[in-house]
Amino acid sequence: MATEENESTQRNTLVVRKSCFGLPTGCPQCLSAYIFLKFSQVQFSLDYHPNYPDSDQIPYFETGDYVTYNNEKEGIIECLKRDVGDLDTGVSSLPDWIATKVLLTTWLADALEYELWVGCSGSSAYNIYYSDLPWPIGKVLCWKKAFWVTQKHGISKDNAEVKEEEIYGRANSAYDALSILLGEQKYLFENRPSSLDAIFLAHALVVLKALPESSILRANFLERTILVRYVQQCTAEIIEASAIPSNYPDFHAEPSSSASKGRSTPGSKPKTKPKRKPQTKEEKTFRRRAKYFVVAQVVAVILFLSVRSGLGDNADLELDDAGYDLDE
Amino acid sequence: MTNAEEPALPNPNNHTKQSTNGDAEPHHQHDIEDEVEDEEDDEYDEDDDVVQQPNRGTPQSAASKLREQRFKVETLSRRLSSELVPIRVHDVVINGNTKIKDWVIEAELRDIENATSMQELVQASQIAISRLQDLEIFDSCKIRLEAGPRELPNTANVIVDLVETGDKVSGEFSVYTKPSTSSWTAEGALKYKNFLGYGDLWDASLAYGANQMTEASVGVHAPRVKGFLTPIMVRIFMHSQDWQEASSYKDRLLGASLGLISTEHHDLAYALGWRTLADPSQMSSRSIRRQLGHGLVSSLKYTFKIDRRNSPIRPRKGYAFLSSTHVGGLTRDPRSLRFLRQEFDFRFAVPFGFYNTALNLGISAGAVFPWGHGFKTKPSPLPERFYLGGDFSPVCTLGGPRTLWGFKTRGLGPTEPRRQNRDGSDDDDVDSSGWDFIGGDLAVTAFADFSFDLPIRWLREHGIHGHVFAGSGNAVKLTQNEYRNFSSRKFLESFRMSVGCGFVIPTRLFRLEGNYFYILRKGEHDRGKTGFRFSFSASS
């Protein structure tokens, strides 16, 4: 059953799937609705509906006796734009709007769906959607959904690799396009939040927090520093702007939390951050190159000195191997 | 017993069953007196001199032989009626069983082996015949008693002659009231008998009832399982019911049930299932909306029932009592549906001795609560709550607080407003009442029904009678801290009441009623209407 909080005082309620991986909700659709409401600065409470994960009605937004379901009209975001305020006024007519929306709702959505259910063997997806159901029911529904995803993408044993390349290739193209579109801006369009920011931010947070470190999609995302910076900034702004009470699950500001840390319980704070942050790929590359540079400089100096002194003294120079490890 | 001049004992009766079985089981009903006179089937020799065989001694005329045997029978009857005739069973011989295991039949004959008198032996034989017939796998069951060995006086051999049914497949159709659905249910079943030779009865059934209730199930009934005192029943079922109109949800349950104990008074069954509540209309109220989804049902239900009324269709004398305890959430997984449900039901029929008049009184009460961590703030499971209403007669049904004359099924009790649409376009698709009946955690009902024969003879002969009745009931929510707002006075003041009169046409399967209801008191959103209506009721 769904848990409740302050139902007598809160009239606006967003009902979502369960909270996990340090996120208010682990489901990308639910998270996009949550972020949209945060961007809209609407007061609302969060409630969970964990025992109906396969329903297309969730997320839904309650205002008194009025309810907006996700499977009505054009989805929860469009309904929220109508009910609480349109964030996209003035930007939805921009030339790149439609293309960006298509990128987010097709290529990136498919890539995340594939990665959750097929690419990572469904472990993250099980935690997000079915871990609150009794075991036999959760397992059957999870298997059913995974089978449906493979059927939807036309994946079979013969074309699995081809399909995977295609899906990841499109995701990479989308990430590149979004990086170019974003540039140095804080948001995708006109430096102000829009519904597409909510959708993309939700996608990014699930990729960074829910997927395991071995995920290819996650690794591809992390290579785009512009996108990583964008996620960090937006998340920090949401946390700062909302002044979330202590018993709400909230974002982690750093996107590099491992997905393998397990789920968080609804209404509880996330676990404490690890003391040592794991290095990103770029940082490792930078360190390696820095070492090469330093070693090269030292060798150059030594060679200069040796050649200069050798011309004069013909002295032997023993190069002391100080144990530089050039294998990093 | 020595020098007994008695003729052979009669075969015990085969009783005819009151059902609409489609198979042809030849039942032979005889009176003991007829059997006594049926001399050709009787063999009971205590002494060689008692019955003169056709190929021994001096041939007797048919008339004198008849007189002699009649004399023996009369002597035996006098002895049996005046004194205990001691006897001991020497051997039990079973003939005719080809597939069924011997030990299954022997288990039904244990009382015969322990008989110490002729009277006890005859009674035990009749009971054994009845039990063997209840297995539904024999076309014919006969027991013969023969004299034991000559060297062992006062002994008898019991010969059981069985004819296993040739038609293993049979069909059955029945109509009954299912308390859980508060409505009539029609069921058709195909049965396959004695598949494994243990007297097992396999059946596949399809049931349909009101509110689009459908149930498909496959089950097996094993009367004798080693180590168990009572028959075992296992059933796999798929049950679905549409409560869209009253409560904006559909209920689907896929599971299995295991009947552990099933006797006349006690019933213990375990059920394991996957329950799904869905709302295709997407118009449900808040508390129902939050309970939509999947749940694991693992529950044990114990029912104690005594029914001493003289008729289930038109009781005129006697009493009945039922207590049902249902515990859910019997798994280690705390996410399964955890609840505790208790029902009581008491009925009493008082005859007045003229025109077959009788006053039937009844009172029922029930409560349901969740249990486990945080039970005070959790709601009770939606399908386990108490929903009152339904026009069918509470006189026939025995199963907790359910019906109240004059109100629709699920037509009274706690309500919640349904979802509202901003454009109002979806409101026309469902019942325009705009309220969901969400059921109560505590419910009480009571009724009084005065029935009498009608003055027309033809109606009396066919059992058609009239009745005047009154009913009352109420249901409230107590969970999620609502018990703090509960007050007995408010509960009593909000009791719904209805009265009425009508006629009843009883049939073998159900009773058809035509009644005029008058609602004395109802709640703001209750669905009760004064007027004339027909209804069907069947015994539960």
Side-chain angles (χ1 to χ4, degrees):
Chain A
M1 317 298 171
T3 58
E4 297 180 354
E5 180 162 323
N6 297 332
E7 74 173 68
S8 60
T9 57
Q10 303 282 353
R11 292 213 18 113
N12 293 336
T13 307
L14 180 67
V15 182
V16 296
R17 295 188 174 92
K18 62 166 292 189
S19 163
C20 53
F21 301 116
L23 296 168
T25 168
C27 163
Q29 274 183 322
C30 301
L31 191 57
S32 65
Y34 176 87
I35 296 172
F36 180 89
L37 289 172
K38 287 294 185 186
F39 282 156
S40 303
Q41 296 178 350
V42 172
Q43 293 293 322
F44 69 98
S45 63
L46 200 60
D47 205 344
Y48 298 97
H49 197 151
N51 62 312
Y52 207 6
D54 53 331
S55 168
D56 56 358
Q57 298 172 1
I58 299 173
Y60 54 91
F61 185 69
E62 298 173 337
T63 306
D65 291 333
Y66 296 96
V67 185
T68 305
Y69 286 105
N70 182 50
N71 62 348
E72 289 179 335
K73 298 197 170 55
E74 296 175 17
I76 187 74
I77 298 286
E78 294 300 318
C79 293
L80 287 176
K81 279 159 68 172
R82 184 195 61 197
D83 295 340
V84 304
D86 191 352
L87 278 180
D88 300 336
T89 309
V91 295
S92 56
S93 55
L94 292 175
D96 291 333
W97 178 267
I98 299 290
T100 308
K101 188 171 182 181
V102 170
L103 273 181
L104 292 173
T105 55
T106 55
W107 286 5
L108 288 186
D110 287 347
L112 182 56
E113 182 181 66
Y114 172 86
E115 194 73 348
L116 281 173
W117 292 101
V118 182
C120 298
S121 304
S123 58
S124 297
Y126 182 83
N127 281 331
I128 292 171
Y129 294 99
Y130 300 110
S131 56
D132 267 5
L133 283 177
W135 175 82
I137 297 176
K139 279 293 179 188
V140 169
L141 289 175
C142 187
W143 176 86
K144 190 177 160 190
K145 176 73 176 188
F147 180 76
W148 179 85
V149 170
T150 56
Q151 294 293 302
K152 175 188 167 186
H153 292 282
I155 299 171
S156 63
K157 282 184 186 175
D158 299 327
N159 66 0
E161 287 183 9
V162 170
K163 284 287 180 185
E164 186 178 284
E165 271 182 40
E166 182 185 326
I167 290 171
Y168 287 144
R170 285 180 179 170
N172 286 338
S173 302
Y175 288 153
D176 291 335
L178 289 167
S179 296
I180 294 169
L181 181 67
L182 198 57
E184 294 300 320
Q185 297 184 107
K186 284 173 59 177
Y187 298 100
L188 289 172
F189 293 95
E190 294 194 351
N191 228 17
R192 63 182 174 97
S194 65
S195 63
L196 297 189
D197 287 289
I199 295 172
F200 181 52
L201 190 57
H203 167 94
L205 285 168
V206 173
V207 166
L208 294 174
K209 291 183 175 290
L211 296 178
E213 287 183 0
S214 57
S215 161
I216 297 174
L217 189 68
R218 184 172 184 270
N220 291 343
F221 189 92
L222 286 171
E223 289 174 0
R224 278 86 179 170
T225 53
I226 294 176
L227 301 183
V228 174
R229 174 191 55 81
Y230 163 80
V231 172
Q232 289 174 340
Q233 281 179 353
C234 288
T235 309
E237 280 193 21
I238 291 174
I239 295 172
E240 199 179 296
S242 58
I244 297 171
S246 61
N247 56 349
Y248 261 124
D250 196 358
F251 298 98
H252 277 299
E254 296 79 11
S256 57
S257 302
S258 167
S260 61
K261 284 184 182 166
R263 66 179 198 265
S264 62
T265 55
S268 64
K269 266 197 158 178
K271 293 183 182 175
T272 54
K273 299 175 189 176
K275 289 183 181 176
R276 185 165 179 252
K277 293 180 292 182
Q279 293 178 345
T280 64
K281 197 173 172 184
E282 286 175 330
E283 287 180 17
K284 287 181 186 173
T285 309
F286 175 77
R287 282 177 181 270
R288 185 170 68 245
R289 288 176 183 171
K291 281 181 189 171
Y292 287 156
F293 177 78
V294 168
V295 167
Q297 292 297 315
V298 169
V299 168
V301 167
I302 292 170
L303 278 176
F304 173 75
L305 291 174
S306 64
V307 167
R308 190 176 175 188
S309 63
L311 284 175
D313 297 334
N314 283 326
D316 289 333
L317 176 68
E318 289 182 9
L319 183 64
D320 182 14
D321 183 2
Y324 288 109
D325 186 6
L326 301 178
D327 294 333
E328 285 185 330
Chain B
M1 212 170 7
T2 56
N3 294 327
E5 300 290 324
E6 302 83 356
L9 284 171
N11 285 328
N13 299 335
N14 289 340
H15 301 285
T16 304
K17 287 184 70 174
Q18 296 296 329
S19 68
T20 54
N21 282 353
D23 59 325
E25 290 188 359
H27 298 287
H28 307 284
Q29 187 167 10
H30 305 277
D31 291 335
I32 292 183
E33 291 182 359
D34 292 340
E35 295 244 328
V36 167
E37 295 173 358
D38 189 359
E39 300 167 1
E40 293 181 5
D41 290 335
D42 296 340
E43 288 182 26
Y44 179 70
D45 291 337
E46 284 257 5
D47 195 319
D48 278 341
D49 297 331
V50 173
V51 173
Q52 292 187 7
Q53 301 296 327
N55 57 352
R56 289 195 183 187
T58 309
Q60 291 181 308
S61 66
S64 64
K65 188 177 173 185
L66 188 63
R67 278 195 300 274
E68 187 176 350
Q69 290 194 345
R70 188 188 294 275
F71 174 72
K72 289 177 190 171
V73 169
E74 287 173 356
T75 309
L76 175 61
S77 299
R78 270 199 302 276
R79 282 197 68 189
L80 289 175
S81 60
S82 60
E83 63 185 79
L84 277 180
V85 180
I87 200 163
R88 183 174 62 83
V89 173
H90 174 255
D91 193 14
V92 177
V93 178
I94 301 171
N95 298 324
N97 58 318
T98 53
K99 191 166 182 186
I100 190 165
K101 305 286 187 285
D102 282 348
W103 61 266
V104 175
I105 302 171
E106 286 163 5
E108 310 295 347
L109 306 176
R110 284 198 207 290
D111 289 342
I112 288 181
E113 294 171 5
N114 299 328
T116 55
S117 68
M118 182 65 75
Q119 290 88 339
E120 203 177 318
L121 184 57
V122 171
Q123 189 180 18
S125 301
Q126 290 178 331
I127 293 172
I129 288 287
S130 177
R131 283 182 185 162
L132 288 171
Q133 285 174 340
D134 284 346
L135 295 178
E136 297 186 29
I137 55 176
F138 299 114
D139 278 340
S140 165
C141 305
K142 291 185 181 178
I143 292 183
R144 289 181 291 123
L145 303 179
E146 292 182 349
R150 292 183 187 280
E151 58 274 17
L152 297 175
N154 298 338
T155 59
N157 288 336
V158 178
I159 315 298
V160 183
D161 294 317
L162 302 167
V163 177
E164 290 185 3
T165 180
D167 297 328
K168 299 251 185 221
V169 179
S170 64
E172 187 177 276
F173 178 78
S174 57
V175 176
Y176 54 90
T177 300
K178 208 167 181 182
S180 58
T181 61
S182 301
S183 66
W184 60 268
T185 303
E187 182 180 275
L190 275 179
K191 297 187 180 182
Y192 188 81
K193 305 171 190 176
N194 204 26
F195 176 62
L196 299 175
Y198 296 104
D200 46 297
L201 186 66
W202 298 77
D203 75 275
S205 66
L206 192 62
Y208 183 81
N211 300 109
Q212 296 181 39
M213 191 283 290
T214 55
E215 182 172 311
S217 64
V218 173
V220 59
H221 173 261
R224 286 284 163 192
V225 178
K226 286 193 176 177
F228 282 84
L229 296 174
T230 63
I232 298 288
M233 287 165 286
V234 178
R235 180 161 293 276
I236 296 173
F237 57 86
M238 189 169 71
H239 171 98
S240 72
Q241 185 138 23
D242 186 347
W243 294 114
Q244 203 73 48
E245 186 189 342
S247 304
S248 298
Y249 75 89
K250 290 186 176 181
D251 183 357
R252 197 174 67 237
L253 180 62
L254 171 68
S257 67
L258 174 65
L260 299 168
I261 296 174
S262 180
T263 64
E264 185 186 355
H265 299 304
H266 305 278
D267 192 275
L268 181 66
Y270 171 76
L272 178 68
W274 175 350
R275 168 165 266 150
T276 303
L277 304 181
D279 175 24
S281 71
Q282 297 186 178
M283 293 298 295
S284 55
S285 56
R286 190 175 186 279
S287 62
I288 290 179
R289 190 187 312 135
R290 297 308 177 85
Q291 290 215 28
L292 299 178
H294 306 279
L296 180 68
V297 175
S298 172
S299 66
L300 198 62
K301 185 171 182 180
Y302 169 70
T303 306
F304 172 72
K305 182 176 172 179
I306 291 182
D307 195 342
R308 296 272 187 258
R309 297 175 297 178
N310 61 341
S311 166
I313 298 292
R314 186 187 176 184
R316 286 191 293 269
K317 186 180 173 184
Y319 67 94
F321 174 75
L322 178 136
S323 166
S324 170
T325 306
H326 197 180
V327 182
L330 300 176
T331 62
R332 292 175 63 181
D333 195 330
R335 297 165 294 191
S336 60
L337 293 172
R338 291 182 160 178
F339 62 90
L340 174 63
R341 192 173 197 264
Q342 177 65 47
E343 292 176 335
F344 293 106
D345 203 336
F346 179 70
R347 306 291 165 83
F348 194 74
V350 180
F352 286 101
F354 56 92
Y355 295 119
N356 275 334
T357 53
L359 177 66
N360 273 274
L361 302 168
I363 182 164
S364 312
V368 60
F369 284 97
W371 61 273
H373 179 69
F375 71 97
K376 284 185 182 175
T377 54
K378 280 186 192 171
S380 52
L382 209 55
E384 305 302 334
R385 296 180 188 174
F386 294 95
Y387 300 90
L388 301 184
D391 278 340
F392 56 96
S393 173
V395 176
C396 301
T397 58
L398 190 66
R402 292 277 187 284
T403 68
L404 192 57
W405 279 300
F407 292 85
K408 280 190 172 181
T409 302
R410 290 200 175 193
L412 69 105
T415 56
E416 258 190 28
R418 284 182 175 156
R419 171 201 180 193
Q420 294 182 35
N421 267 334
R422 292 184 193 277
D423 54 7
S425 58
D426 290 340
D427 289 343
D428 296 334
D429 295 337
V430 294
D431 192 315
S432 58
S433 68
W435 292 84
D436 277 337
F437 289 88
I438 61 174
D441 301 312
L442 172 69
V444 177
T445 60
F447 77 90
D449 178 282
F450 181 77
S451 64
F452 48 87
D453 277 348
L454 295 170
I456 301 171
R457 185 180 167 189
W458 185 87
L459 295 175
R460 278 202 307 272
E461 285 173 357
H462 289 82
I464 300 171
H465 59 276
H467 69 149
V468 180
F469 52 83
S472 181
N474 197 8
V476 290
K477 179 179 175 179
L478 294 179
T479 51
Q480 294 182 295
N481 294 319
E482 283 289 327
Y483 64 90
R484 294 177 186 170
N485 303 328
F486 175 78
S487 101
S488 314
R489 196 174 126 212
K490 265 171 53 178
F491 183 64
L492 289 171
E493 283 174 359
S494 58
F495 256 78
R496 281 68 161 177
M497 285 188 192
S498 64
V499 295
C501 61
F503 62 88
V504 179
I505 304 174
T507 67
R508 205 164 52 159
L509 298 178
F510 55 84
R511 54 189 255 167
L512 168 65
E513 298 185 21
N515 296 315
Y516 177 81
F517 306 105
Y518 183 78
I519 309 295
L520 290 175
R521 191 201 295 168
K522 68 176 194 174
E524 183 186 351
H525 304 292
D526 290 352
R527 293 179 192 173
K529 211 160 73 166
T530 294
F532 184 85
R533 284 190 287 282
F534 286 101
S535 63
F536 291 91
S537 305
S539 59
S540 58

